[in-house]
Amino acid sequence: MPDKKVANGQPVPRKKYTPAFKAECVRQVAAGARQTDVARAQGISPTLLGRWQRAALEQAVLSSAEREEIKRLRAELKRVEIERDILNSSQSGLRREEVKLERK
């Protein structure tokens, strides 16, 4: 991809953003603002803001309490999914029995 040039042929200097600016933009999106609205208001591209969000998530360190809660929630989700699958399979069996009874 060719570098962008200004009228005199010199390359356009890349903008540099402070970590505080990046963190504030990411915080606004995390608080519920739309990514495109925040990007437009700050004069940056939504793609760049998305990159900053992914980087912030990667750098986020979970506390032990948060890790335990995630572990507990995953176990509960697995249990509920198994219960749902059992109920679905038993309901389909009951439906077959109802159809057999109706035909008699």
Side-chain angles (χ1 to χ4, degrees):
M1 183 158 107
D3 292 333
K4 294 182 181 180
K5 307 274 183 184
V6 290
N8 63 3
Q10 296 295 318
V12 176
R14 292 181 67 157
K15 292 183 181 178
K16 295 189 180 187
Y17 301 100
T18 64
F21 177 79
K22 293 177 185 181
E24 177 58 24
C25 292
V26 169
R27 188 200 59 75
Q28 288 177 13
V29 175
R34 288 183 33 199
Q35 181 177 341
T36 53
D37 293 340
V38 173
R40 186 178 301 124
Q42 299 299 331
I44 59 175
S45 79
T47 306
L48 180 60
L49 180 52
R51 254 185 280 152
W52 293 349
Q53 286 178 279
R54 283 189 299 281
L57 283 174
E58 289 172 2
Q59 292 175 356
V61 177
L62 298 177
S63 69
S64 61
E66 290 170 325
R67 281 193 296 274
E68 287 300 318
E69 182 179 12
I70 290 171
K71 185 177 177 181
R72 181 187 61 79
L73 290 172
R74 284 183 179 157
E76 184 178 345
L77 176 62
K78 186 175 183 177
R79 181 186 57 79
V80 169
E81 287 175 340
I82 291 170
E83 289 175 0
R84 179 203 60 203
D85 293 343
I86 291 170
L87 286 172
N88 284 341
S89 64
S90 67
Q91 285 179 350
S92 65
L94 290 174
R95 287 187 199 120
R96 279 189 240 122
E97 291 298 319
E98 289 175 6
V99 170
K100 287 180 184 177
L101 292 174
E102 289 175 1
R103 291 185 182 168
K104 288 185 178 180

